[in-house]
């Protein structure tokens, strides 16, 4: 069969392809509802704009002058249901099928259009969009050489691959374009700043491809992370090569009923302003800094063996659902310092009875016969531990209070943590949120977990460490006691 290439379309623009009945037009039957997206694509690829498109461009970018060159880096800050994922799939297929990168590739090397989603569920959604665009258009289906579970090889040396957010999995590619979806909500277990980590891992793979495009899209969240950083540095600046586009849901997708947005605003104005209004939240802030956590980590110490004459405490956070881990922390006091000795985690799927038996044996090796645990899991956890000779008591404090009590210990360096990246990442990823009534709560970010952090906070709280300090402020300690605390930390290392 004759090999089909799209060289005859080398100069076709993405808006031409959207309007072509033989290409993408069937997905854009109601062109009026796609007006804002057409303006965005015109801006991204530096195409001539109509008067209406220019007006939308100015509204959504805060700029006056239209771009003169294709944006190698673009950031979409849009509300939910705006159509971001489909547009990323559209751009991915267009860049893969209608651009020729072979002059930049070594013999046998393939260029990759890499699409990264928050999780596998979101990745499958984008993959379905890409599959439909490639396989339901006859012209494009004929250039697909191979379809795998998460990728498509085209006969022009380009592969479209869809994956999930992991900075380890993006290395080793020659990347002709990278499209990142909902990066403000990427999970934080492998890294406290997964968006920055992944972008930093992607950039070297794009270095040898002139014009390689990085396009990031997300609903906004807190005023931190790569999305907020790009908005802060590039939004509204004429002539800036980095394009930042910010638009509420109905600007980009007028088919979303206003009543849905009104109901959301009534329930939670701060959340709805972010999710549908595309405004970064001002009621969410980081709980503790990376620097504060890192100063408490005993580097190279992963666990401390039990010592004779030392009294230990244990705290467990039993799994409360199919996505939660069952965690345990053991700690002791050395002077006024809290020393973390053991952290254990069982991720789902696991047998609760087997985990309880394992944890009970470990607790007994540290001479612990009574533990505290998450109060919401107290009823079902009490009997299994009792069967193994360990008394389980539900902690009276909610986890927000446990974290609040832990903060001064971390900020002052009066706690010695183990060198466990998952623990550090969960602590750094905690958020302080202010409710409408003014009350603060502390919890993990959307898409994140805090099961390990909760167990550690509970163990430290059991030692009574937090009660020695003023929990209303980030206590920084007595400068005159620095030598004493360095000696204490050194002893903690020796104990390990």
């Amino acid at each position: 069969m004759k090999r089909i290439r799209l060289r005859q379309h080398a100069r076709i623009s993405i808006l031409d392809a959207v309007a072509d009945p033989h290409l993408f037009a069937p997905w854009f039957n109601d062109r009026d509802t796609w007006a804002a997206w057409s303006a965005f694509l015109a801006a991204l690829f530096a195409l001539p704009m109509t008067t209406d498109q220019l007006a939308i461009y100015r509204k959504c970018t805060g700029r006056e002058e239209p771009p003169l060159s294709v944006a190698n880096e673009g950031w979409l800050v849009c509300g939910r249901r705006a159509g971001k994922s489909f547009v990323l799939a559209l751009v991915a297929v267009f860049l893969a099928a209608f651009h020729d990168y072979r002059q930049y590739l070594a013999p046998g090397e393939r260029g990759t259009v890499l699409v990264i989603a928050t999780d596998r569920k979101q990745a499958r959604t984008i993959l379905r969009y890409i599959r439909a665009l490639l396989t339901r258009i006859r012209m494009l289906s004929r250039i697909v050489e191979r379809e795998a579970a998460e990728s498509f090889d085209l006969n022009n040396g380009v592969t479209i691959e869809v994956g999930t957010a992991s900075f380890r999995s993006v290395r080793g590619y020659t990347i002709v374009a990278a499209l990142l979806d909902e990066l403000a909500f990427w999970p934080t277990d492998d890294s406290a700043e997964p968006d920055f980590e992944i972008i930093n891992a992607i950039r070297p793979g794009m270095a040898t491809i002139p014009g390689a495009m990085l396009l990031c899209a997300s609903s906004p969240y807190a005023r931190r992370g790569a999305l907020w950083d790009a908005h802060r540095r590039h939004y509204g600046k004429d002539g800036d090569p980095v394009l930042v586009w910010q638009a509420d849901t109905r600007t980009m997708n007028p088919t979303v009923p206003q009543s849905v947005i009104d109901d959301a605003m009534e329930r939670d104005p701060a959340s709805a302003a972010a999710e549908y209004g595309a405004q970064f939240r001002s009621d969410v802030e980081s709980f503790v800094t990376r620097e504060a956590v890192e100063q408490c980590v005993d580097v190279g110490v992963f666990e401390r063996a039990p010592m004779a004459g030392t009294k230990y405490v244990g705290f467990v956070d039993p799994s409360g659902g199919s996505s939660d881990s069952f965690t345990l922390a053991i700690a002791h006091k050395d002077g006024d310092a809290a020393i973390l000795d053991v952290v254990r985690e069982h991720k789902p799927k696991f047998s609760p009875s087997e985990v309880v038996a394992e944890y009970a044996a470990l607790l007994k090796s540290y001479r612990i016969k009574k533990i505290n645990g998450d109060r919401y899991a107290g009823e079902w956890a009490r009997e299994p531990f009792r069967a193994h000779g360990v008394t389980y008591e539900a902690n009276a404090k909610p986890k927000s209070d446990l974290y609040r009590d832990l903060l001064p210990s971390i900020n002052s360096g009066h706690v010695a943590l183990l060198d466990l990246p998952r623990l550090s990442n969960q602590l750094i990823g905690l958020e302080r949120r202010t409710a409408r009534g003014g009350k603060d709560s502390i919890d993990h970010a959307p898409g994140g977990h805090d099961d390990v952090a909760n167990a550690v906070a509970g163990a430290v709280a059991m030692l009574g460490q937090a009660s020695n300090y003023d929990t209303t402020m980030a206590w920084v300690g007595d400068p005159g006691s620095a030598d004493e605390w360095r000696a204490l930390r050194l002893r903690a290392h020796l104990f390990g």
Side-chain angles (χ1 to χ4, degrees), residues 33-292:
T33 63
W34 291 93
W37 282 115
S38 296
F40 167 73
L41 294 174
L44 184 67
F45 290 94
L47 302 173
M49 295 186 188
T50 65
T51 302
D52 290 342
Q53 288 173 343
L54 184 58
I56 296 172
Y57 165 81
R58 288 171 173 165
K59 172 186 174 183
C60 297
T61 64
R63 305 182 185 189
E64 287 296 321
E65 299 301 322
L68 300 177
S69 59
V70 177
N72 290 341
E73 185 173 324
W75 296 79
L76 268 166
V77 186
C78 295
R80 290 187 66 183
R81 308 303 301 168
K84 299 183 295 294
S85 297
F86 176 75
V87 170
L88 288 185
L90 173 71
V91 173
V93 170
F94 176 76
L95 291 175
F98 293 95
H99 284 62
D100 192 348
Y101 302 99
R102 284 168 294 180
Q103 59 181 312
Y104 309 119
L105 302 175
E109 183 180 21
R110 297 192 69 87
T112 301
V113 174
L114 190 61
V115 184
I116 301 177
T118 305
D119 51 30
R120 293 198 175 278
K121 181 178 179 181
Q122 185 66 15
R124 287 194 296 270
T125 298
I126 297 178
L127 191 66
R128 285 194 291 267
Y129 288 144
I130 292 172
R131 180 181 292 110
L133 292 169
L134 284 174
T135 61
R136 295 184 188 180
I137 298 172
R138 183 180 180 187
M139 186 184 301
L140 298 183
S141 66
R142 297 170 72 180
I143 68 169
V144 176
E145 285 188 335
R146 185 178 73 93
E147 177 182 350
E150 297 176 339
S151 63
F152 295 86
D153 289 345
L154 309 187
N155 65 11
N156 61 357
V158 175
T159 295
I160 303 175
E161 184 166 327
V162 179
T164 54
S166 170
F167 65 91
R168 297 182 182 89
S169 65
V170 301
R171 298 177 184 273
Y173 288 89
T174 300
I175 300 172
V176 300
L179 299 95
L180 283 50
D181 193 31
E182 295 294 359
L183 73 164
F185 300 93
W186 284 356
T188 58
D189 287 342
D190 292 333
S191 169
E193 297 178 326
D195 46 6
F196 283 116
E197 294 276 7
I198 292 175
I199 291 170
N200 290 340
I202 284 173
R203 291 193 190 278
M206 304 173 69
T208 58
I209 307 296
M213 180 180 290
L214 172 66
L215 179 58
C216 305
S218 182
S219 301
Y221 188 57
R223 297 183 179 185
R224 65 170 183 270
L227 190 71
W228 167 250
D229 183 65
H231 184 276
R232 179 179 57 83
R233 292 192 293 118
H234 302 292
Y235 181 79
K237 296 182 178 180
D238 277 313
D240 194 318
V242 177
L243 176 67
V244 178
W245 185 281
Q246 184 178 25
D248 64 273
T249 296
R250 278 182 54 82
T251 292
M252 305 308 295
N253 183 6
T255 66
V256 175
Q258 182 63 45
S259 60
V260 171
I261 299 172
D262 291 341
D263 289 345
M265 288 294 293
E266 178 67 23
R267 290 191 303 271
D268 189 339
S271 175
E275 295 211 324
Y276 294 104
Q279 300 299 311
F280 288 91
R281 296 184 67 153
S282 59
D283 63 326
V284 177
E285 59 184 31
S286 296
F287 169 67
V288 66
T289 66
R290 174 186 293 275
E291 292 74 19

Side-chain angles (χ1 to χ4, degrees), residues 401-420:
D401 289 351
L402 296 178
Y403 290 139
R404 194 175 293 110
D405 291 345
L406 177 65
L407 181 60
S409 301
I410 292 178
N411 283 341
S412 65
H414 285 58
V415 58
L417 301 175
L418 297 171
D419 190 359
L420 304 173

Side-chain angles (χ1 to χ4, degrees), residues 210-426:
M213 180 180 290
L214 172 66
L215 179 58
C216 305
S218 182
S219 301
Y221 188 57
R223 297 183 179 185
R224 65 170 183 270
L227 190 71
W228 167 250
D229 183 65
H231 184 276
R232 179 179 57 83
R233 292 192 293 118
H234 302 292
Y235 181 79
K237 296 182 178 180
D238 277 313
D240 194 318
V242 177
L243 176 67
V244 178
W245 185 281
Q246 184 178 25
D248 64 273
T249 296
R250 278 182 54 82
T251 292
M252 305 308 295
N253 183 6
T255 66
V256 175
Q258 182 63 45
S259 60
V260 171
I261 299 172
D262 291 341
D263 289 345
M265 288 294 293
E266 178 67 23
R267 290 191 303 271
D268 189 339
S271 175
E275 295 211 324
Y276 294 104
Q279 300 299 311
F280 288 91
R281 296 184 67 153
S282 59
D283 63 326
V284 177
E285 59 184 31
S286 296
F287 169 67
V288 66
T289 66
R290 174 186 293 275
E291 292 74 19
V293 172
E294 289 179 346
Q295 75 165 344
C296 296
V297 173
D298 283 338
V299 178
V301 180
F302 309 107
E303 191 163 304
R304 308 180 210 272
M307 299 178 296
T310 300
K311 180 177 176 58
Y312 294 95
V313 299
F315 190 98
V316 295
D317 182 6
S319 173
S322 60
S323 64
D324 296 329
S325 296
F326 194 156
T327 56
L328 163 70
I330 296 174
H332 74 276
K333 289 188 73 171
D334 185 6
D336 288 331
I339 311 297
L340 182 63
D341 296 278
V342 177
V343 171
R344 289 283 192 275
E345 177 184 19
H346 277 274
K347 301 178 185 178
K349 301 176 179 179
F350 55 79
S351 166
S353 60
E354 291 179 2
V355 176
V356 168
E358 175 191 326
Y359 285 177
L362 180 62
L363 290 164
K364 290 178 181 178
S365 71
Y366 285 81
R367 301 178 299 280
I368 299 173
K369 296 182 179 180
K370 183 170 70 174
I371 59 172
N372 265 205
D374 183 89
R375 62 177 180 173
Y376 296 107
E379 292 306 317
W380 78 260
R382 186 174 285 111
E383 287 303 321
F385 275 103
R386 181 183 298 165
H388 290 277
V390 176
T391 301
Y392 180 105
E393 291 185 355
N395 195 278
K397 292 185 176 182
K399 67 178 179 179
S400 281
D401 289 351
L402 296 178
Y403 290 139
R404 194 175 293 110
D405 291 345
L406 177 65
L407 181 60
S409 301
I410 292 178
N411 283 341
S412 65
H414 285 58
V415 58
L417 301 175
L418 297 171
D419 190 359
L420 304 173
R422 191 169 175 86
L423 168 60
S424 296
N425 290 336
Q426 288 190 8

Side-chain angles (χ1 to χ4, degrees), residues 20-41:
D20 191 328
H22 299 294
L23 290 172
F24 304 130
W27 280 270
F28 296 88
N29 288 327
D30 189 353
R31 297 296 297 274
D32 289 341
T33 63
W34 291 93
W37 282 115
S38 296
F40 167 73
L41 294 174

